[in-house]
Amino acid sequence: MSDKVNNKPSEWPLWEVFIRSKAGLDHKHVGSLHAVDAQMAIENARDVYTRRMEGVSIWVVDSRFVHASNPDDAEAFYEPANDKVYRHPTFYNLPDELKHM
Amino acid sequence: MDTLAKHFEEKINNEVTIEAKDWLPDNYRKTLIRQISQHAHSEIVGMLPEGNWITRAPSLRRKAVLLAKVQDEAGHGLYLYSAAETLGISRDEMMDQLHTGKAKYSSIFNYPTISWADMGAIGWLVDGAAIMNQVPLCRTSYGPYARAMVRVCKEESFHQRQGFEIMLTLSNGSEVQRKMAQDALNRWWWPSIMMFGPPDDNSPHTAQSVRWRIKRFTNDELRQKFVDIGVEQAKILGLEVPDKDLKWNEERGHYDFGVINWDEFWNVVKGNGPCNKQRVETRKKAWDEGKWVRDAATAYAEKRKARAAESTMKAA
Ligand SMILES: [Fe+2]
Ligand SMILES: [Fe+2]
């Protein structure tokens, strides 16, 4: 994903491409490309990113509309979850005889 | 060293992937832009020598395969241009650098493709050398580059196999066909082993690039590996590698090979190879003559937008 959208004015906008690889799975970011509008972006994404049946569905998002968290804030942002191991099932010590839990 | 630089160094040392929004040292950014854009240009210019044979492929099967391969190379160029763009250079700037000769591409594509057997030799040797260069880059430190390389490498392996199959068919064919295959090997062997770049003692940036993990092996290491593998593969074809100094070295566990003509290499890099001018001119022509297509697409998108607005208004 491009975080700097530094197109020259003459350049077509940049689109982020997301592909669902098969029915039932999430769309996943695969890369980006330039296209004049959403329809062309989807057509180009078909040619650039699904030449070997990599997908059954394509999303394109104008890169300008992607907002991202700041890597410099990573510590403050994610660390609070660090000491909350009780949010995981393995935190609880239960007898082995206990079944179906 | 300030905290940002220290943080970056820590990530590099701990094999943590660097992402576009992270703070990057200027030199890391510059080196990557140069390396990735050069790589992208090589994929794009690399379509030309093979494109030369699409209409003259000897069978429909060969034609379909060659088309698919060349189309893949276009895709590789696009993945890589996008990766470079995350570093703050625009696509237009990169195009400009290619067209003005400011940016380089792999010298191998400045050699002509004069017979069908060249399609075999290119797939086998040139894509083979490219794969050897690219596989380690799947673990390169810069995330967008590494992810592009994973995609590229997945697609490359058929390229080499189809090339080897062409060579195999020719070398098992008529006397004329066998000679064609040998001639192609004679012409492509040396330029292919030059693809790994100048020898380590003449490659001043290698140490820094290895440290930054934008290069994972040195030029000479990769070249040796390529020679060792290539010589064995040539045996299967029953063809002779054009190097009279080629000899298995028991002690090293590698093949010794002859002296590379680095004058030829630098001469081609400087623009004096057999096809340098033609390649850049072809790309420029495609860009200039494609302008009306880009303009038309822009105009059509405007129209489509206006029509959509109109029909929403009517509906309302
Ligand atoms: Fe490629
Ligand atoms: Fe290839």
Side-chain angles (χ1 to χ4, degrees):
Chain A
M1 187 172 310
S2 305
D3 294 284
K4 277 193 193 130
V5 180
N6 50 323
N7 297 350
K8 287 191 188 169
S10 66
E11 248 175 31
W12 290 344
L14 192 68
W15 301 80
E16 300 304 327
V17 181
F18 299 79
I19 289 182
R20 186 200 295 284
S21 58
K22 62 180 190 199
L25 296 184
D26 292 326
H27 285 77
K28 200 176 146 206
H29 183 246
V30 294
S32 46
L33 48 76
H34 291 274
V36 73
D37 63 9
Q39 190 179 330
M40 186 185 186
I42 289 175
E43 287 160 7
N44 288 356
R46 194 269 317 265
D47 291 341
V48 179
Y49 292 106
T50 65
R51 287 194 304 284
R52 287 174 177 77
M53 315 210 318
E54 288 96 334
V56 294
S57 161
I58 298 173
W59 286 353
V60 294
V61 179
D62 189 327
S63 302
R64 283 173 305 180
F65 300 131
V66 175
H67 301 273
S69 63
N70 186 344
D72 299 338
D73 297 340
E75 265 175 46
F77 218 63
Y78 304 109
E79 221 147 64
N82 233 350
D83 56 0
K84 294 180 182 59
V85 278
Y86 45 83
R87 284 179 172 158
H88 298 278
T90 46
F91 176 75
Y92 301 91
N93 234 330
L94 299 175
D96 288 346
E97 321 67 284
L98 184 69
K99 300 288 180 219
H100 307 297
M101 192 175 281
Chain B
M1 201 188 285
D2 61 36
T3 29
L4 287 172
K6 217 168 136 190
H7 196 62
F8 173 82
E9 288 296 323
E10 262 170 35
K11 280 193 171 169
I12 289 287
N13 295 336
N14 296 323
E15 302 249 333
V16 176
T17 304
I18 310 291
E19 293 294 343
K21 283 200 113 186
D22 294 343
W23 180 88
L24 314 174
D26 256 0
N27 236 334
Y28 177 83
R29 185 187 299 279
K30 268 191 215 138
T31 309
L32 267 177
I33 288 179
R34 192 176 357 99
Q35 184 173 327
I36 301 173
S37 65
Q38 207 165 302
H39 192 160
H41 297 323
S42 302
E43 303 281 355
I44 296 300
V45 177
M47 290 192 282
L48 300 175
E50 289 180 300
N52 182 33
W53 280 91
I54 290 174
T55 55
R56 292 175 290 161
S59 71
L60 193 55
R61 177 181 182 272
R62 295 286 186 215
K63 185 174 183 165
V65 169
L66 189 57
L67 256 177
K69 178 187 189 286
V70 172
Q71 196 188 6
D72 273 355
E73 307 301 3
H76 298 174
L78 294 175
Y79 308 152
L80 288 159
Y81 282 132
S82 300
E85 281 172 89
T86 64
L87 290 157
I89 185 168
S90 75
R91 183 76 60 98
D92 278 0
E93 257 175 286
M94 287 187 274
M95 289 293 112
D96 217 54
Q97 291 178 350
L98 174 66
H99 297 156
T100 56
K102 199 182 153 219
K104 299 277 179 240
Y105 53 86
S106 182
S107 277
I108 192 89
F109 302 117
N110 289 317
Y111 290 86
T113 45
I114 60 179
S115 87
W116 169 252
D118 290 3
M119 297 305 97
I122 288 182
W124 170 35
L125 299 171
V126 177
D127 287 77
I131 292 169
M132 205 158 277
N133 253 324
Q134 289 166 356
V135 167
L137 292 176
C138 295
R139 295 179 298 120
T140 192
S141 61
Y142 188 58
Y145 189 25
R147 292 190 286 273
M149 291 320 302
V150 169
R151 196 171 284 284
V152 168
C153 287
K154 263 193 207 150
E155 299 181 353
E156 280 294 342
S157 75
F158 112 74
H159 297 181
Q160 195 185 16
R161 292 172 72 95
Q162 65 86 34
F164 195 83
E165 192 197 60
I166 292 173
M167 291 302 271
L168 195 62
T169 307
L170 290 173
S171 54
N172 290 330
S174 67
E175 188 48 31
V176 175
Q177 287 173 318
R178 214 197 56 76
K179 272 197 181 132
M180 249 169 83
Q182 181 63 56
D183 168 64
L185 172 56
N186 292 348
R187 282 179 292 109
W188 291 96
W189 175 258
W190 287 102
S192 296
I193 68 175
M194 291 179 199
M195 275 176 75
F196 297 96
D200 294 348
D201 50 20
N202 193 5
S203 177
H205 303 301
T206 291
Q208 177 63 279
S209 291
V210 169
R211 227 181 53 71
W212 274 337
R213 291 188 285 118
I214 48 188
K215 213 169 173 175
R216 307 224 55 160
F217 296 98
T218 72
N219 298 352
D220 287 334
E221 283 166 349
L222 290 170
R223 183 169 14 250
Q224 181 70 61
K225 198 170 157 202
F226 180 80
V227 169
D228 291 346
I229 291 173
V231 171
E232 295 303 321
Q233 292 173 340
K235 284 184 190 164
I236 297 175
L237 297 172
L239 298 177
E240 197 184 325
V241 174
D243 179 355
K244 57 178 174 22
D245 297 318
L246 200 65
K247 213 175 130 223
W248 178 252
N249 183 324
E250 195 65 59
E251 206 176 304
R252 292 201 308 127
H254 291 293
Y255 278 98
D256 291 335
F257 52 94
V259 181
I260 294 170
N261 184 350
W262 291 113
D263 288 344
E264 175 185 326
F265 175 81
W266 289 116
N267 197 36
V268 181
V269 170
K270 281 187 192 117
N272 306 317
C275 301
N276 295 58
K277 252 187 93 194
Q278 185 192 336
R279 299 290 186 237
V280 174
E281 267 165 21
T282 307
R283 284 311 313 159
K284 258 174 72 181
K285 191 164 163 245
W287 179 254
D288 293 342
E289 290 182 2
K291 187 175 184 304
W292 73 269
V293 179
R294 297 191 295 277
D295 289 348
T298 308
Y300 183 58
E302 289 299 327
K303 214 183 218 176
R304 196 148 59 189
K305 212 158 87 192
R307 266 194 214 134
E310 207 176 290
S311 63
T312 338
M313 280 228 311
K314 265 188 204 146

